């Protein structure tokens, strides 16, 4: 019974902590790079590979 109470208390104390700003910006930059890569890939693929 004590273990259950300790787990509930530790979960309530932590709560939500947002990600650091550098991780958010790195994810955004990675997403833009991935979209640009896909665009380049599709242009080459459907453009005849020239």
């Amino acid at each position: 019974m004590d273990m259950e109470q300790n787990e509930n208390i530790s979960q309530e104390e932590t709560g939500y902590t947002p990600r650091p700003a550098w991780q958010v910006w790195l994810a955004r930059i990675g997403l833009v790079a991935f979209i640009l890569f896909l665009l380049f890939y599709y242009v080459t693929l459907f453009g005849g590979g020239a």
Side-chain angles (χ1 to χ4, degrees):
M1 193 69 136
D2 289 334
M3 290 178 101
E4 289 179 15
Q5 289 174 348
N6 288 342
E7 288 177 6
N8 289 339
I9 291 172
S10 65
Q11 287 177 355
E12 290 173 4
E13 287 176 357
T14 55
Y16 171 75
T17 53
R19 295 212 179 265
W22 67 270
Q23 282 185 347
V24 175
W25 279 106
L26 193 64
R28 289 175 182 164
I29 291 170
L31 180 64
V32 168
F34 178 69
I35 290 173
L36 288 175
F37 172 77
L38 275 182
L39 219 90
F40 175 74
Y41 176 74
Y42 286 142
V43 164
T44 352
L45 182 69
F46 296 124

